[in-house]
Amino acid sequence: MPELPEVETTVRGLQKTILGLIIKDVWTDLKTKDSRKHDTVANPKYFSSFKKEVTNKKIKSVERRAKNILINLSNSKTILVHMKMTGHLLFNNKDKFVHVVFNFSNRKYLAFSDMRKFGKITLLNTKTTHDSKHLKDIGPEPLDKTFTYKKLEERLRKKPNGKIKTVLMNQAIVAGIGNIYSDEILWQVGVHPERRVSKIKKTEFQKIFKAMQKILTKSIKFGGDSMSDYINIYGKKGKFQLHHQAYRQTGEKCRKNGCKGFIKRKIINGRSAHFCSIHQK
DNA sequence: GACAATGTTACAGT
DNA sequence: CACTGTAACATTGT
């Protein structure tokens, strides 16, 4: 599901619903044997200590960093949730794939649903959350006030030989962009997804910067993208998928002013890219 | 049955 | 060592 606008939509929903609530109990049915998940609630041993730490704690604040949700608790601990491909958080709401539930003292609950079970929930010290291995190597937030086109150019140029789409999706370069928004941004600015960063002009970096902010902001306004299975904490779909120009528009006529092209699909570095056959160069 | 699916990361290869 | 591309994680929908 979730790239920056979807995670932001979820975080804003949580800020309206769970602040001040006290966690009374946590439940999960996850039982992984994958050693890479040793520090997540999917590991039963980790879960029992996690449960002890969060029980009877109050929700102080909720924030977003890249595609991660950070839930800060009254005991200076932070619950980090990464929804990966198919995860979502639901408030007082259930669906078929709920694998973790936080029960609050007012009898409401927060459910983590995750069809493919790729998601990650772990506990960190609030003070060092942003220096933890999960967040320390992530690039700047594209919607941060201090983010400028110059900064974006400087970040992207760290991968001169990389294909622009791949570099845009690299979380260490810039935070929060995935397959949907990289396709939409590049369609908007007319840059081919396979163009090498070193071949991109200054004016094009400026355009990429503007399109990035415009498209991400627009999607947040529409409540995120539910082309696949994203839903917000109330179980409702976002509407940005109704405004796609490239992503999963294969075979459609290009809707750029006066462009006679059509949208093609091609696998680039293992992910499907969608772009106009003519105006993206 | 075949194929594709929003993210991340370990690993193999150069 | 640094960088790059691929496979894997688990499951569903078309």
Side-chain angles (χ1 to χ4, degrees):
Chain A
M1 113 194 190
E3 302 179 34
L4 188 154
E6 292 75 44
V7 181
E8 182 66 23
T9 301
T10 291
V11 164
R12 289 183 186 185
L14 293 174
Q15 287 168 341
K16 280 196 190 136
T17 50
I18 68 165
L19 295 186
L21 299 187
I22 294 164
I23 299 171
K24 263 295 147 203
D25 187 37
V26 195
W27 166 91
T28 186
D29 67 349
L30 296 171
K31 279 187 180 59
T32 187
K33 286 172 191 158
D34 188 338
S35 64
R36 290 172 301 179
K37 294 193 174 178
H38 67 94
D39 63 344
T40 76
V41 297
N43 173 1
K45 216 168 162 181
Y46 186 92
F47 179 72
S48 72
S49 62
F50 176 91
K51 182 171 168 170
K52 275 186 205 130
E53 293 261 33
V54 305
T55 300
N56 293 322
K57 304 306 182 300
K58 190 189 272 191
I59 311 288
K60 297 287 274 187
S61 58
V62 184
E63 56 183 312
R64 180 186 62 74
R65 174 70 174 114
K67 298 170 188 168
N68 297 274
I69 297 165
L70 305 171
I71 302 172
N72 298 315
L73 304 180
S74 53
N75 60 339
S76 298
K77 298 279 179 183
T78 295
I79 301 172
L80 180 151
V81 181
H82 196 303
M83 313 193 264
K84 294 283 178 86
M85 301 270 265
T86 57
H88 32 257
L89 287 169
L90 296 166
F91 182 68
N92 252 8
N93 212 327
K94 277 195 173 127
D95 68 12
K96 235 162 99 181
F97 307 107
V98 169
H99 293 295
V100 184
V101 178
F102 295 87
N103 291 299
F104 299 116
S105 56
N106 66 354
R107 308 186 67 186
K108 301 201 168 174
Y109 61 88
L110 183 67
F112 180 64
S113 160
D114 189 8
M115 180 177 83
R116 285 167 77 178
K117 299 189 202 173
F118 288 177
K120 162 171 94 178
I121 300 181
T122 189
L123 195 67
L124 302 167
N125 291 315
T126 304
K127 212 176 153 189
T128 53
T129 293
H130 291 277
D131 304 317
S132 70
K133 65 167 186 183
H134 310 275
L135 304 184
K136 71 178 171 57
D137 294 324
I138 295 176
E141 287 290 333
L143 297 181
D144 195 286
K145 287 183 213 76
T146 63
F147 192 59
T148 59
Y149 107 82
K150 210 139 189 108
K151 240 181 212 173
L152 177 67
E153 176 173 356
E154 183 189 305
R155 302 294 303 175
L156 294 174
R157 285 197 186 283
K158 286 178 184 287
K159 299 280 181 193
N161 300 317
K163 295 172 182 171
I164 183 64
K165 176 180 170 68
T166 307
V167 180
L168 282 173
M169 291 197 293
N170 184 338
Q171 299 303 296
I173 300 298
V174 53
I177 295 170
N179 214 20
I180 298 172
Y181 298 100
S182 56
D183 275 356
E184 292 298 315
I185 291 165
L186 293 172
W187 179 90
Q188 185 70 46
V189 300
V191 170
H192 193 284
E194 289 181 294
R195 183 110 67 86
R196 304 284 165 177
V197 170
S198 62
K199 303 280 184 194
I200 291 178
K201 287 180 277 188
K202 184 174 172 153
T203 54
E204 289 174 316
F205 283 118
Q206 285 172 320
K207 283 186 193 166
I208 290 173
F209 172 76
K210 278 197 176 151
M212 180 181 289
Q213 295 205 325
K214 193 175 137 196
I215 290 168
L216 294 174
T217 305
K218 180 175 172 185
S219 181
I220 292 169
K221 203 187 276 174
F222 283 111
D225 189 301
S226 297
M227 184 62 139
S228 191
D229 48 20
Y230 175 71
I231 47 179
N232 66 21
I233 63 164
Y234 309 107
K236 299 267 190 270
K237 290 183 172 195
K239 291 197 164 60
F240 187 73
Q241 68 280 6
L242 304 174
H243 303 271
H244 287 174
Q245 302 298 340
Y247 182 73
R248 291 216 213 166
Q249 302 299 303
T250 312
E252 294 285 314
K253 245 186 105 238
C254 177
R255 290 188 281 274
K256 195 94 180 167
N257 279 348
C259 182
K260 293 271 188 283
F262 60 96
I263 304 300
K264 284 203 295 193
R265 176 176 172 276
K266 182 181 180 187
I267 303 295
I268 298 176
N269 291 3
R271 305 228 73 97
S272 72
H274 309 78
F275 55 96
C276 171
S277 56
I278 293 183
H279 90 270
Q280 287 181 250
K281 297 182 200 308

